[in-house]
Amino acid sequence: MLGKSKKTDSGKLVSPDRPLEGKSSTFLSRSTARDEKTIIGEHISIEGSIRGEENLEIEGSMKGNIELEKHNFRIGPNGQVEGEINARNVSISGEFKGNIKSHEKVEITREADFYGEIKAKSISIEDGAYIKGVIELDREPNRKSTDAQKPNATAAPETGKAPGAPR
Amino acid sequence: MATSITQDPRDPNVALSPTSHTSEVLELFLNSLVRLKDGQVLDMGPVCEENILFFASRLRRHYVCDMFLRLIREQKIARHSRNVWRHLDYPDRFFDGIHLWDLCDHLDDKKVSQVIEHCLLMLQPGGLLMLVAFEKPPSPVRINSFIIQHHYRMSYRVQPHLNIAWHCRHNRALMSLLTGFSIVKSLRYRNGIREILLKKPL
């Protein structure tokens, strides 16, 4: 996609009219509208860091850190990323190794292979995703851990035999 | 006893067996862990959003290592000679609790002994190991995720991407493989599911 215009999700044609920060920024096509995104195509490999002020999607491979504090980041189904991500919302459909810090939500889809750590306000995970990692959700201070799951006092136990007795 | 029927999402007219149940052992497992400051749990079950949210919202850090998908991938690449447990590369005495779900139902005796040995290493002294076991494979024979719902209710969801052999065992056979642990609680529910909570000796 080097030097070529690229169609964004909204169908508009965009061109790489301004390089982004990062070693391989000339390989990126860039959208012009604030809510559009830059896509790194699947035949592109990048080593280095990216810092930006717009949404970013990676379909290629990348080794390095991504800093998009107020914007969204997505790894497409063919994307492979290794590094640290700091973004508002993060969606992983490809392969990721590293740590994610999201200020809002992390989404892991069924195609994803995830190895690393997630710190986020919320998370959604589809069945079929592979995860080896650690998940740390922002917790409300002073929340009582078991309140929400307190069993109903009137609910009868469903055990077929007395508690504690091995069968 | 409140019971509910779990329906096959691909055919709502087909009721799955077993039905859901309320897990007393899960309640005991969780309550023991939340008493600890920064209790750390490893979840080895199929990746399941509800379960991850359940633990991650109650414990500071929730570790996930999906050994079900790992077993399938090892089968596909025919690396039978390689040790699938190499993926459990956590430090010794790292976790306060480990949830195996029904992983043992999909392992032969040798592999059950291996994973139990790994759990013993990874758990702190006094750490808890929870597992679930079927008396017989569910009907239809499909692998399900156990889904934690409100009030420790456990239901099931079919995982069509998981296709692993079944090794259901009678209680005595299963217990004989869980060496090195002491039994905290063992329950058999009416739906035929057994839940076992074990403790690593201090």
Side-chain angles (χ1 to χ4, degrees), chain A residues 22-94:
Chain A
K23 282 182 184 175
S24 304
S25 55
T26 53
F27 291 92
L28 308 177
S29 69
R30 180 184 167 271
S31 60
T32 50
R34 183 183 171 85
D35 58 345
E36 290 178 350
K37 63 188 173 191
T38 296
I39 300 174
I40 296 175
E42 66 179 297
H43 302 296
I44 302 296
S45 297
I46 293 178
E47 279 195 35
S49 299
I50 293 178
R51 179 176 294 160
E53 295 295 332
E54 64 183 39
N55 301 333
L56 174 67
E57 177 173 332
I58 292 187
E59 290 285 356
S61 63
M62 165 154 186
K63 207 178 253 191
N65 301 337
I66 293 162
E67 186 83 31
L68 303 170
E69 198 167 348
K70 294 174 184 167
H71 295 83
N72 304 330
F73 174 69
R74 178 173 187 265
I75 302 176
N78 299 313
Q80 295 178 317
V81 175
E82 195 175 331
E84 313 272 325
I85 298 171
N86 183 4
R88 191 178 67 181
N89 293 294
V90 178
S91 174
I92 310 285
S93 294

Side-chain angles (χ1 to χ4, degrees), chain B residues 52-119:
Chain B
I52 288 172
L53 288 174
F54 177 86
F55 285 110
S57 60
R58 287 163 180 78
L59 302 165
R60 197 174 70 83
R61 287 162 68 82
H62 181 56
Y63 290 76
V64 179
C65 184
D66 182 344
M67 290 309 298
F68 287 75
L69 215 44
R70 269 287 149 218
L71 284 170
I72 287 181
R73 290 184 180 184
E74 296 289 322
Q75 285 170 10
K76 279 184 181 168
I77 55 178
R79 286 180 178 168
H80 296 297
S81 57
R82 296 192 69 182
N83 180 6
V84 68
W85 310 117
R86 71 188 184 281
H87 300 285
L88 300 173
D89 52 354
Y90 300 99
D92 291 356
R93 297 181 294 280
F94 189 68
F95 294 110
D96 301 291
I98 296 176
H99 206 321
L100 276 180
W101 299 99
D102 60 330
L103 183 63
C104 294
D105 283 345
H106 304 286
L107 303 173
D108 60 27
D109 286 0
K110 186 181 169 189
K111 281 200 165 75
V112 172
S113 299
Q114 289 170 347
V115 74
I116 294 298
E117 201 174 306
H118 273 272
C119 290

Side-chain angles (χ1 to χ4, degrees), chain A residues 112-113 115 117 119 122-137 139 143 145-146 148-152 155-167, chain B residues 1-2 21-22 24 27 31 47 49 52-54 57-66 69-70 73 87 89-90 135 149-153 157 159 161 171 185-188 190:
Chain A
D113 254 26
Y115 301 81
E117 185 169 327
K119 287 184 182 177
S122 67
I123 187 167
S124 77
I125 302 167
E126 288 182 0
D127 288 358
Y130 177 75
I131 295 181
K132 183 186 177 186
V134 195
I135 291 143
E136 194 174 327
L137 296 179
R139 295 164 71 184
R143 175 177 174 171
S145 300
T146 52
Q149 296 290 328
K150 191 82 178 168
N152 185 342
E158 291 182 29
T159 53
K161 62 186 296 174
R167 197 168 161 243
Chain B
M1 180 178 82
H21 67 280
T22 300
E24 292 181 31
E27 183 185 359
N31 287 344
V47 163
E49 178 181 285
I52 288 172
L53 288 174
F54 177 86
S57 60
R58 287 163 180 78
L59 302 165
R60 197 174 70 83
R61 287 162 68 82
H62 181 56
Y63 290 76
V64 179
C65 184
D66 182 344
L69 215 44
R70 269 287 149 218
R73 290 184 180 184
H87 300 285
D89 52 354
Y90 300 99
E135 284 188 325
Q149 297 176 314
H150 288 300
H151 311 314
Y152 301 99
R153 194 86 188 157
R157 186 160 66 228
Q159 301 295 313
H161 62 285
N171 216 49
K185 197 158 193 167
S186 171
L187 294 178
R188 178 192 175 275
R190 274 189 211 170

Side-chain angles (χ1 to χ4, degrees), chain B residues 140-188:
Chain B
V141 184
R142 293 172 184 155
I143 293 182
N144 302 299
S145 273
F146 289 83
I147 313 293
I148 304 173
Q149 297 176 314
H150 288 300
H151 311 314
Y152 301 99
R153 194 86 188 157
M154 293 261 228
S155 64
Y156 319 100
R157 186 160 66 228
V158 176
Q159 301 295 313
H161 62 285
L162 297 177
N163 183 17
I164 325 174
W166 286 83
H167 296 270
C168 294
R169 296 171 177 85
H170 291 298
N171 216 49
R172 189 177 295 176
L174 178 61
M175 289 300 187
S176 71
L177 297 169
L178 308 178
T179 52
F181 285 94
S182 55
I183 297 172
V184 177
K185 197 158 193 167
S186 171
L187 294 178
R188 178 192 175 275

